[in-house]
């Protein structure tokens, strides 16, 4: 295994990526906002499997300010660069790319950044409705990172199902020659999806955060027992009863949708997808899964 390299300048990563291209090496890419946990590391493993032992795996750490809304947690978002590097080293990452805001958004040091990438269909509902500028920030930064890292494959977590779908659409629509891999959600033993934001939870809220995965498993059970599916409204009524057992949780949304088009469904069947967002105190968590 080669030693981990840490690159911060845009020029250094792009030059290295171009060298790799000339040498015919495959590149796998895992974009993250750092504060890494085993969910992120599972994406690294997928990237390694995709590019093989001779390929290169790049993980980026960039807390993208443009994907946070004005009243969101950008200033408090957990950061732990040293710990992240340790995890990357043991996971066999070749390069950690950690750019700064100045380089990403101030061209030549001037405040003349004015180019945005925006998906205008599947990014509109769910997270896009709850966080109106979020996906524009995500797609813009991911497109920039793709142009810097020049990956052959990029790995995204199913935990952020809509994000992965929006990026898949961007890659198709803008002809990025990149294969997108969707990697399964890694969970705690009680079902809570691993997330950097779980660190904000105090013990009482942590105990009730299991509500998101419980709602999904209840919906799965109900849909599994139904013949030909169930009306979305009926399913919501069942799930509202589950919610009553978790008084510290404040529901933001539950959606049932087609996993390929992300269109909302009036009738929910096996193979439909469900997404849920809820506040536990001031911490907003999301989860999703197939039914
Ligand atoms: P983040 O650092 O939270 O922006 O996440 C970076 C990548 O890791 C995204 O593709 C996420 O979907 C993915 N990810 C985050 N949490 C998990 C998890 N529990 N299981 C699998 N992938 C995850």
């Amino acid at each position: 295994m080669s030693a981990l390299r840490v690159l911060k300048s845009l020029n250094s990563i792009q030059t290295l990526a171009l060298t790799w291209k000339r040498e015919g090496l495959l590149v796998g890419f895992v974009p993250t906002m750092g504060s890494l946990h085993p969910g992120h590391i599972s994406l690294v493993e997928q990237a390694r499997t995709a590019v093989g032992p001779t390929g290169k795996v790049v993980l980026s750490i960039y807390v993208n300010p443009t994907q946070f809304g004005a009243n969101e947690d950008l200033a408090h978002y957990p950061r732990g660069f040293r710990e992240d590097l340790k995890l990357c080293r043991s996971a066999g990452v070749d390069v950690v790319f950690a750019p700064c805001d100045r380089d990403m958004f101030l061209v030549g040091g001037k405040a003349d950044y004015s180019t945005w990438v925006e998906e205008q269909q599947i990014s509109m509902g769910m997270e896009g409705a709850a966080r109106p500028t979020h996906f524009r920030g995500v797609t813009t930064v991911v497109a920039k990172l793709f142009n810097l890292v020049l990956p052959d494959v990029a790995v995204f977590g199913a935990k952020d199902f809509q994000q992965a779908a929006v990026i898949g659409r961007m890659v198709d629509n803008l002809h990025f020659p990149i294969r997108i891999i969707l990697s399964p959600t890694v969970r705690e033993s009680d079902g809570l999806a691993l997330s950097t934001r779980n660190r904000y939870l105090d013990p009482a809220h942590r105990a009730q955060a299991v509500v998101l995965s419980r709602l999904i498993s209840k919906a799965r059970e109900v849909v599994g027992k139904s013949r030909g599916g169930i009306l979305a409204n009926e399913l919501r009524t069942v799930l509202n009863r589950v919610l009553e057992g978790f008084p510290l949780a404040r529901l933001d949304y539950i959606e049932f949708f087609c996993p390929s088009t992300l269109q909302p469904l009036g009738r929910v069947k096996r193979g439909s997808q469900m997404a849920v967002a809820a506040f536990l105190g001031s911490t907003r968590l999301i989860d999703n899964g197939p039914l």
Side-chain angles (χ1 to χ4, degrees), residues 3 6 36 54 67 81-82 84 118 123 132 136 139 153 157 161 167 177 181 190 200 223 232-233 235 248 252 268:
V6 180
L36 303 179
T54 55
Q67 73 181 67
F81 195 59
R82 275 172 164 228
D84 287 349
E118 191 172 8
S123 63
R136 174 179 106 138
T139 41
V153 300
F161 189 89
I167 286 163
I181 296 176
D190 66 356
Y200 298 143
V223 169
N233 283 342
L235 188 49
L248 293 182
D252 190 353
V268 189

Side-chain angles (χ1 to χ4, degrees), residues 30-34 37 39-40 42-43 67 77 155-160 163 183-187 193-196:
V30 179
T32 80
M33 298 205 298
H37 54 62
H40 296 115
S42 72
L43 308 192
Q67 73 181 67
Y77 196 80
V155 189
F156 291 86
K159 152 85 171 33
D160 300 279
Q163 167 175 278
S183 193
T185 303
V186 177
R187 297 177 180 279
L194 298 192
S195 164
T196 303

Side-chain angles (χ1 to χ4, degrees), residues 137-152:
V138 170
T139 41
T140 299
V141 160
V142 171
K144 286 158 74 68
L145 292 171
F146 283 173
N147 284 330
L148 293 164
V149 177
L150 305 173
D152 298 282

Side-chain angles (χ1 to χ4, degrees), residues 1-283:
M1 201 186 297
S2 58
L4 177 70
R5 293 173 71 174
V6 180
L7 300 179
K8 297 199 171 176
S9 86
L10 311 196
N11 187 41
S12 61
I13 185 73
Q14 202 178 44
T15 304
L16 182 61
L18 287 166
T19 310
W20 286 340
K21 280 261 144 347
R22 276 195 297 277
E23 292 171 355
L25 298 175
L26 284 177
V27 178
F29 181 39
V30 179
T32 80
M33 298 205 298
S35 287
L36 303 179
H37 54 62
H40 296 115
I41 299 308
S42 72
L43 308 192
V44 170
E45 287 160 4
Q46 296 262 2
R48 174 56 69 198
T49 303
V51 302
T54 55
K56 299 292 180 185
V57 173
V58 178
L59 179 141
S60 64
I61 296 178
Y62 180 56
V63 182
N64 167 18
T66 67
Q67 73 181 67
F68 288 77
N71 300 317
E72 294 181 358
D73 55 342
L74 174 62
H76 311 286
Y77 196 80
R79 293 164 205 246
F81 195 59
R82 275 172 164 228
E83 197 52 37
D84 287 349
L85 292 188
K86 263 196 221 160
L87 284 171
C88 285
R89 213 167 268 123
S90 54
V93 170
D94 293 294
V95 172
V96 166
F97 173 50
C100 64
D101 291 341
R102 191 185 158 77
D103 288 348
M104 288 293 272
F105 284 101
L106 294 183
V107 181
K110 290 187 298 215
D112 59 0
Y113 190 85
S114 58
T115 304
W116 298 90
V117 178
E118 191 172 8
E119 196 284 331
Q120 294 187 326
Q121 198 175 78
I122 59 178
S123 63
M124 294 297 149
M126 295 187 282
E127 287 306 282
R131 308 174 69 190
T133 56
H134 173 68
F135 282 122
R136 174 179 106 138
V138 170
T139 41
T140 299
V141 160
V142 171
K144 286 158 74 68
L145 292 171
F146 283 173
N147 284 330
L148 293 164
V149 177
L150 305 173
D152 298 282
V153 300
V155 189
F156 291 86
K159 152 85 171 33
D160 300 279
F161 189 89
Q162 188 182 12
Q163 167 175 278
V166 168
I167 286 163
R169 179 67 68 87
M170 175 188 82
V171 161
D172 284 349
N173 287 176
L174 299 185
H175 319 293
F176 282 99
I178 299 171
R179 178 162 69 93
I180 301 297
I181 296 176
L182 188 66
S183 193
T185 303
V186 177
R187 297 177 180 279
E188 301 280 5
S189 55
D190 66 356
L192 175 65
L194 298 192
S195 164
T196 303
R197 290 191 168 97
N198 293 350
R199 296 179 198 191
Y200 298 143
L201 299 169
D202 64 29
H205 288 97
R206 166 63 188 85
Q208 296 209 359
V210 71
V211 65
L212 288 91
S213 60
R214 289 281 167 81
L215 288 166
I216 297 168
S217 29
K218 183 67 185 179
R220 190 173 293 139
E221 180 196 316
V222 171
V223 169
K225 283 186 191 154
S226 71
R227 283 170 170 245
I230 176 172
L231 290 174
N233 283 342
E234 284 175 28
L235 188 49
R236 279 176 204 281
T237 308
V238 175
L239 298 182
N240 280 336
R241 285 201 288 275
V242 175
L243 261 173
E244 285 167 12
F246 297 88
L248 293 182
R250 184 164 54 84
L251 186 69
D252 190 353
Y253 65 75
I254 289 176
E255 293 289 349
F256 311 107
F257 57 97
C258 164
S260 47
T261 62
L262 273 65
Q263 282 299 308
L265 299 170
R267 187 168 194 87
V268 189
K269 299 184 187 153
R270 269 174 236 180
S272 301
Q273 194 82 10
M274 169 173 160
V276 53
F279 286 93
L280 278 301
S282 55
T283 304

